[in-house]
């Protein structure tokens, strides 16, 4: 069936992540683009992505994009830093619909707002090892100095719900010690789970370091991208279609509970699918 431009702007946006982390990006899209429908996929069976290879993450991302396209999405948000780092540029030329990741928007704002030119980035082993934040920041600010630190224990701690637990604070102190004498004025939370640790990180880094949450900038970037492609939902569609739908590859109940603890809306169901089929 050929969709008219009119139909297309009422189609949902596909958002995916390795699991629950991308909900911090979905939450930001819900806040900034309240007319937009979302279909979210969390790859809860194969999380974490942060310790896997570029080849594996590219394969997983392709499978998920195929699934989201089968649901008729009009654009895709790669709401995972590791997938944005490893797979986005390989997959972009294969796409017929617009796609945006979380790395570029976060890197750009950090590059443009730093005063000292000294920027810290925290993320998964994959994201930090790929050096993507360093490369992207330098495209916007060639004189910037970028210091990256992988913080692999943050993801399981967030998934456990230990956001302000003394154990989490201790782990955060150990990781963030790395930046103590580095004189950074900006720290990018380069993993989708980390905004949930914002107040713990703020407590350790102090008020003088600007914490950049790429989710916020990604939602802004998505807004621009939809406008450029004339795909912005004007809210005039009266079809009875759910605003938000959630799919996962495992542990649907756990996902649902987590989602309900951080999203501005109540989700009734997360549907289980077999993404490899
Ligand atoms: N969503 C991932 C990211 O932003 C973190 C979790 C994982 O390792 O899969 O990099």
């Amino acid at each position: 069936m050929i969709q008219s431009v009119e139909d297309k702007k009422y189609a949902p946006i596909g958002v995916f992540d390795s699991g629950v982390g991308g909900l911090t990006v979905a939450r930001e899209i819900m806040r900034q683009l309240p007319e937009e429908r979302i279909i979210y996929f969390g790859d809860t069976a194969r999380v974490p992505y942060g310790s896997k290879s570029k080849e594996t993450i590219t394969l997983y991302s392709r499978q998920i994009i195929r699934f989201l396209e089968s649901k008729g999405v009009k654009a895709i948000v790669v709401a995972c830093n590791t997938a944005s780092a490893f797979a986005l540029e390989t997959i972009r030329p294969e796409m017929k619909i617009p796609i945006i990741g979380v790395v570029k928007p976060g890197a750009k704002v950090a590059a443009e707002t730093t005063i000292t030119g000294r920027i810290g980035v925290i993320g998964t082993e994959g994201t930090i090892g790929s050096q993507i934040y360093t490369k992207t920041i330098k495209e916007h600010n060639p004189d910037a100095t970028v210091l990256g630190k992988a913080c692999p224990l943050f993801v399981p701690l967030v998934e456990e719900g230990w956001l302000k637990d003394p154990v989490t604070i201790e782990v955060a102190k150990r990781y963030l010690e790395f930046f103590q004498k580095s004189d950074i004025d900006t720290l990018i939370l380069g993993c989708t789970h980390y905004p949930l640790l914002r107040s713990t990180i703020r407590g350790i880094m102090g008020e003088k370091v600007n914490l950049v949450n790429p989710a916020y900038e990604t939602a802004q970037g998505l807004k621009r991208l939809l406008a450029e492609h004339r795909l912005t939902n004007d809210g005039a569609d009266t079809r009875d279609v759910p605003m938000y739908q959630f799919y996962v590859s495992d542990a649907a109940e756990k996902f649902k509970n987590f989602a309900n603890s951080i999203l501005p809306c109540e989700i009734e169901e997360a549907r289980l699918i077999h993404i490899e089929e």
Side-chain angles (χ1 to χ4, degrees):
M1 191 182 69
I2 298 171
Q3 275 187 316
S4 71
V5 175
E6 209 49 27
D7 278 336
K8 215 144 190 212
K9 72 179 179 197
Y10 299 126
I13 292 161
V15 179
F16 78 90
D17 177 45
S18 55
V20 294
L23 290 169
T24 59
V25 181
R27 177 174 68 176
E28 216 38 69
I29 298 170
M30 291 171 183
R31 280 184 187 146
Q32 293 188 39
L33 291 87
E35 310 288 7
E36 297 296 344
R37 297 194 165 96
I38 294 174
I39 296 188
Y40 183 98
F41 177 78
D43 201 358
T44 43
R46 304 187 293 194
V47 67
Y49 280 11
S51 50
K52 295 191 172 74
S53 70
K54 180 176 165 72
E55 290 68 32
T56 301
I57 300 308
T58 306
L59 171 76
Y60 290 176
S61 300
R62 275 205 185 95
Q63 289 170 342
I64 298 166
I65 288 170
R66 215 172 298 140
F67 166 71
L68 291 171
E69 284 179 329
S70 78
K71 295 278 162 201
V73 299
K74 63 180 175 184
I76 288 186
V77 179
V78 184
C80 172
N81 284 264
T82 312
S84 299
F86 279 164
L88 182 58
E89 291 317 317
T90 308
I91 289 176
R92 195 192 297 279
E94 304 164 12
M95 302 285 303
K96 289 200 183 73
I97 55 172
I99 184 165
I100 183 173
V102 284
V103 169
K104 276 195 180 160
K108 183 168 182 284
V109 74
E112 289 171 353
T113 54
T114 178
I115 293 167
T116 62
R118 298 183 66 79
I119 301 169
V121 185
I122 51 176
T124 64
E125 286 165 312
T127 301
I128 299 302
S130 76
Q131 297 269 336
I132 186 146
Y133 271 105
T134 309
K135 284 180 220 147
T136 315
I137 288 168
K138 282 181 174 289
E139 278 165 24
H140 295 282
N141 183 346
D143 297 331
T145 301
V146 185
L147 299 155
K149 174 78 183 155
C151 305
L153 292 177
F154 279 173
V155 168
L157 288 167
V158 168
E159 302 229 335
E160 203 54 37
W162 292 9
L163 303 185
K164 290 179 185 157
D165 191 276
V167 171
T168 308
I169 295 171
E170 189 52 38
V171 169
K173 278 187 188 155
R174 292 272 286 272
Y175 283 141
L176 299 174
E177 220 169 53
F178 174 81
F179 295 108
Q180 216 145 53
K181 294 205 176 84
S182 66
D183 218 18
I184 55 167
D185 70 349
T186 305
L187 180 65
I188 302 177
L189 309 180
C191 170
T192 48
H193 286 64
Y194 300 0
L196 297 170
L197 296 175
R198 193 186 181 99
S199 66
T200 298
I201 295 170
R202 161 73 59 230
I204 297 166
M205 296 306 293
E207 292 298 324
K208 287 195 187 132
V209 175
N210 178 29
L211 301 183
V212 172
N213 174 7
Y216 181 86
E217 306 305 328
T218 302
Q220 298 266 304
L222 174 64
K223 197 188 254 180
R224 286 191 295 272
L225 191 70
L226 294 176
E228 263 167 44
H229 288 81
R230 297 197 297 130
L231 286 172
T232 307
N233 189 334
D234 55 15
D237 183 26
T238 50
R239 279 175 297 180
D240 189 20
V241 186
M243 277 305 278
Y244 306 128
Q245 297 177 58
F246 298 86
Y247 293 86
V248 290
S249 48
D250 198 5
E253 198 58 24
K254 190 174 174 206
F255 176 94
K256 191 184 103 175
N257 294 338
F258 194 98
N260 280 330
S261 73
I262 69 159
L263 291 180
C265 59
E266 189 75 16
I267 78 163
E268 276 163 26
E269 187 190 17
R271 273 180 253 175
L272 194 65
I273 59 147
H274 297 289
I275 192 71
E276 285 174 10
E277 279 165 18

